[in-house]
Amino acid sequence: MKIILTGASGLLGHAFAQAAKRRKHEVIGIVGSYAVPIAGLSQQKAIDLNDLAVLERFVLEQFPDAIVNCAAMSIPALCESDPSASERINVLVPEKLALLSRHLFARFIHISTDQVFDGASVPYFIGDPPNPSSIYSMHKAESEKRALDMASEFASIIRIPILNGNSPRGNRSLHEQLIAAWSRGEKAHLFTDEYRQPCLSDNLADAMVELCERNDLQGLLHWAGADPLSRFEIGQQILDHFGLSPDLISKSNRGNHPEHSRRQENLTLDLQPLAGRLKTRPQPFSEQLESLIVPKQFRVWYNSI
């Protein structure tokens, strides 16, 4: 199978490229300015996703069997500061890719977010109405609608939680960001009243490859780890895994931070029907931790403590 992959240099894109290669698929990765070769890709192409005409020409030239969209402007604060840029990447790009998938009769896998929900009533089922509270989540909810409007018979939209994993740059995943803060001498203040379902990028990538290979699981879908945990509990387990001091984190509460008032309390997802129909299984957080390593740029600091 020939697969076009956007966002190939990101945490999830990198994991997907390797998972697809293990299954003997040909993956053509689209990146922005990232020039380092990415493992798992048969071809790496630099394209500015703001130029939809160039993107369209390249996809049509390749004539893929599947299109996987991992590209996103995923930092909510950046989306708030530049809504137009967020709309271009988070809405217009997946809309264009969905249209191309319909034209090519290709599978389309698009990544959305658990943040389309408001966090007030869990667990969230795939049929529950979104209630986004930020520019990022509003644009992701809109991308779901447009992708399904364009290519409902080809599209699988996967809502996902925060991701663990080892990113190419060593700065994208949850544990990498915590380690970066700790290396700067910063204590992490983690919420005890904000619950998430962290997922390993490699595990999600395996599920996505299965979806590329199947034609019976279209529409909205959920995927996440097996355990809902508070941000503080996640931090504790990461510290334990790396043998670091518990003093590197402290308990915090969303109510004490007005700037975080819109952060959802609990985004636990119901994982059916996907969890019951794939060979890949949702992982407990303890199992995810086994895959995590200290990024190269922080190993001198880590070995010195």
Side-chain angles (χ1 to χ4, degrees):
M1 176 182 289
K2 179 188 281 190
I3 302 171
I4 292 279
L5 169 66
T6 62
S9 62
L11 173 63
L12 181 55
H14 181 252
F16 178 86
Q18 294 177 82
K21 183 179 180 181
R22 289 194 295 269
R23 300 279 293 184
K24 310 301 183 184
H25 298 302
E26 176 188 359
V27 184
I28 300 166
I30 294 176
V31 299
S33 58
Y34 191 76
V36 177
I38 296 169
L41 297 182
S42 60
Q43 181 182 343
Q44 187 166 321
K45 178 72 173 179
I47 293 177
D48 180 357
L49 293 180
N50 290 294
D51 194 333
L52 295 179
V54 171
L55 176 64
E56 178 176 325
R57 284 197 299 272
F58 182 73
V59 173
L60 292 176
E61 287 169 2
Q62 296 298 323
F63 212 98
D65 303 294
I67 301 170
V68 174
N69 182 39
C70 293
M73 187 172 173
S74 59
I75 300 175
L78 294 181
C79 297
E80 296 288 338
S81 64
D82 194 345
S84 295
S86 173
E87 182 181 30
R88 289 194 300 272
I89 299 301
N90 292 332
V91 179
L92 300 184
V93 167
E95 181 182 38
K96 172 62 73 173
L97 294 173
L99 176 63
L100 291 169
S101 77
R102 186 179 71 187
H103 179 75
L104 297 169
F105 287 77
R107 288 286 282 122
F108 180 50
I109 311 298
H110 172 56
I111 299 301
S112 186
T113 175
D114 56 2
Q115 294 183 53
V116 299
F117 296 116
D118 58 19
S121 179
V122 296
Y124 286 100
F125 297 86
I126 57 175
D128 289 340
N131 187 22
S133 60
S134 67
I135 294 293
Y136 169 67
S137 56
M138 285 189 283
H139 284 161
K140 279 298 193 177
E142 180 65 17
S143 76
E144 295 178 357
K145 180 180 181 298
R146 294 197 191 187
L148 291 175
D149 285 347
M150 283 290 176
S152 59
E153 65 271 45
F154 302 105
S156 296
I157 315 297
I158 315 174
R159 293 170 177 151
I160 67 167
I162 55 175
L163 293 179
N164 290 308
N166 305 303
S167 68
R169 296 178 178 90
N171 63 353
R172 297 295 294 273
S173 75
L174 182 61
H175 85 282
E176 292 169 342
Q177 292 171 7
L178 284 172
I179 288 174
W182 295 331
S183 73
R184 297 190 297 266
E186 300 171 10
K187 177 177 284 193
H189 304 283
L190 302 177
F191 296 138
T192 59
D193 60 345
E194 182 183 341
Y195 288 83
R196 296 296 184 264
Q197 232 171 324
C199 178
L200 187 69
S201 57
D202 293 358
N203 175 260
L204 173 58
D206 286 338
M208 291 164 61
V209 173
E210 281 197 66
L211 281 174
C212 287
E213 297 169 342
R214 296 179 59 159
N215 293 310
D216 61 337
L217 289 167
Q218 286 82 21
L220 292 170
L221 300 164
H222 291 170
W223 192 261
D227 307 318
L229 298 166
S230 73
R231 291 271 188 177
F232 183 76
E233 290 170 331
I234 292 169
Q236 282 183 310
Q237 293 195 39
I238 290 173
L239 285 176
D240 289 344
H241 170 69
F242 289 108
L244 295 170
S245 169
D247 295 335
L248 290 172
I249 64 172
S250 65
K251 293 181 179 180
S252 187
N253 187 289
R254 289 180 304 124
N256 297 331
H257 301 271
E259 69 274 21
H260 297 310
S261 61
R262 289 193 294 176
R263 292 173 72 124
Q264 300 92 330
E265 179 179 353
N266 193 328
L267 291 176
T268 300
L269 300 173
D270 177 82
L271 304 184
Q272 298 302 325
L274 204 53
R277 298 181 64 182
L278 296 181
K279 293 179 181 178
T280 305
R281 308 301 299 169
Q283 288 180 309
F285 193 58
S286 59
E287 186 177 318
Q288 298 174 41
L289 288 168
E290 296 172 6
S291 299
L292 304 186
I293 62 173
V294 176
K296 288 188 295 185
Q297 63 266 40
F298 303 120
R299 288 177 190 168
V300 171
W301 164 81
Y302 180 71
N303 291 329
S304 70
I305 59 176

